[in-house]
């Protein structure tokens, strides 16, 4: 009964209310919504991230009833996603080039500085073998580097990288080996 006296939108975080109005309109238009996320107020006044689904049940022609199919607390997941985004952003804006490679020596990620330094876009670099930008790398050298990385965890050397226009520039390469979820 006490809950009935509260406007439902007051339980939604002020920053999420505009999106909540769109979700509510979608619910009325489509008859159901699923996997919507927004911050909701707890009884103690604190906020948590919730993912929910809902349906409209027509009880009469004048006023629909709303059924909350499910709602779950996703605060921990949202906090983890935010940490990943902060980490990614800190790598992207770092002034040194950063290249992530897989075990096949193919580039799986580059930061903004890598793109600026080589004049290639991310799309042009991702999926390429590291020899695409490092003309001194051979399969024999890579084999030795990977052995050192697996044994010592890191490896530092000097080399050159090649820009898109073919010119080369000197680089210090600091490599760190990491294993994550079998990769």
């Amino acid at each position: 009964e006490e809950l009935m006296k509260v406007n439902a939108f007051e339980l939604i975080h002020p920053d999420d209310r505009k999106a909540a109005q769109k979700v509510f309109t979608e619910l009325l238009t489509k008859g159901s919504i699923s996997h919507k996320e927004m911050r909701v107020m707890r009884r103690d006044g604190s906020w948590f991230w919730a993912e929910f689904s809902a349906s409209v049940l027509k009880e009469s022609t004048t006023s629909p009833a709303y059924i909350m199919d499910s709602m779950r607390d996703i605060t921990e997941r949202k906090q983890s996603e935010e940490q990943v985004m902060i980490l990614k952003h800190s790598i992207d804006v770092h002034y040194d080039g950063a290249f992530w490679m897989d075990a096949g020596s193919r580039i799986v990620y580059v930061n903004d500085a890598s793109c600026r330094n080589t004049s290639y876009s991310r799309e042009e670099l991702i999926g390429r073998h590291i020899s695409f930008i490092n003309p001194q790398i051979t399969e024999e050298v890579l084999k030795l580097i990977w052995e050192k990385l697996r044994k010592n965890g890191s490896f530092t050397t000097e080399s050159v990288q090649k820009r898109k226009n073919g010119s080369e520039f000197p680089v210090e390469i600091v490599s760190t080996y990491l294993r994550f979820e079998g990769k």
Side-chain angles (χ1 to χ4, degrees):
E1 189 174 315
E2 186 177 320
L3 190 59
M4 299 296 247
K5 296 176 185 176
V6 176
N7 178 345
F9 280 101
E10 291 176 11
L11 299 175
I12 297 169
H13 192 279
D15 293 345
D16 297 338
R17 287 180 185 157
K18 195 171 193 173
Q21 288 175 330
K22 289 180 183 178
V23 167
F24 185 73
T25 300
E26 181 182 344
L27 175 61
L28 289 175
T29 305
K30 294 184 177 178
S32 67
I33 54 168
S34 61
H35 306 293
K36 301 299 180 180
E37 299 176 359
M38 63 187 64
R39 289 163 287 184
V40 179
M41 186 185 295
R42 289 188 178 100
R43 287 180 188 229
D44 66 6
S46 65
W47 299 101
F48 72 101
W49 275 99
E51 177 185 77
F52 61 92
S53 299
S55 301
V56 174
L57 174 65
K58 297 278 186 180
E59 287 186 342
S60 71
T61 56
T62 57
S63 62
Y66 308 100
I67 298 174
M68 183 71 65
D69 295 330
S70 67
M71 180 162 74
R72 65 185 180 111
D73 187 337
I74 59 167
T75 304
E76 194 172 304
R77 188 193 87 206
K78 294 297 274 186
Q79 289 169 341
S80 294
E81 289 171 357
E82 180 181 34
Q83 289 174 346
V84 168
M85 293 306 295
I86 289 169
L87 175 61
K88 181 184 177 304
H89 179 71
S90 68
I91 292 167
D92 283 343
V93 299
H94 197 271
Y95 60 90
D96 282 335
F99 293 83
W100 294 350
M101 296 185 315
D102 62 16
S105 301
R106 299 216 171 272
I107 299 168
V108 295
Y109 185 80
V110 296
N111 69 351
D112 295 341
S114 299
C115 295
R116 274 192 311 276
N117 293 341
T118 63
S119 303
Y120 287 105
S121 69
R122 270 193 182 89
E123 294 75 24
E124 291 172 308
L125 291 171
I126 292 177
R128 298 283 191 152
H129 192 271
I130 194 63
S131 61
F132 180 71
I133 57 154
N134 190 326
Q136 295 181 350
I137 289 289
T138 63
E139 287 303 319
E140 296 79 32
V141 170
L142 276 172
K143 184 178 177 184
L144 292 172
I145 291 172
W146 278 107
E147 286 174 14
K148 282 186 179 183
L149 282 170
R150 285 184 185 102
K151 181 180 176 189
N152 302 325
S154 64
F155 178 78
T156 302
T157 190
E158 292 181 1
S159 189
V160 296
Q161 284 186 349
K162 183 174 60 174
R163 292 183 185 96
K164 191 172 186 174
N165 68 9
S167 65
E168 296 178 355
F169 59 100
V171 292
E172 178 183 46
I173 298 173
V174 179
S175 300
T176 304
Y177 179 78
L178 80 97
R179 186 171 192 83
F180 183 73
E181 294 185 353
K183 293 182 181 181

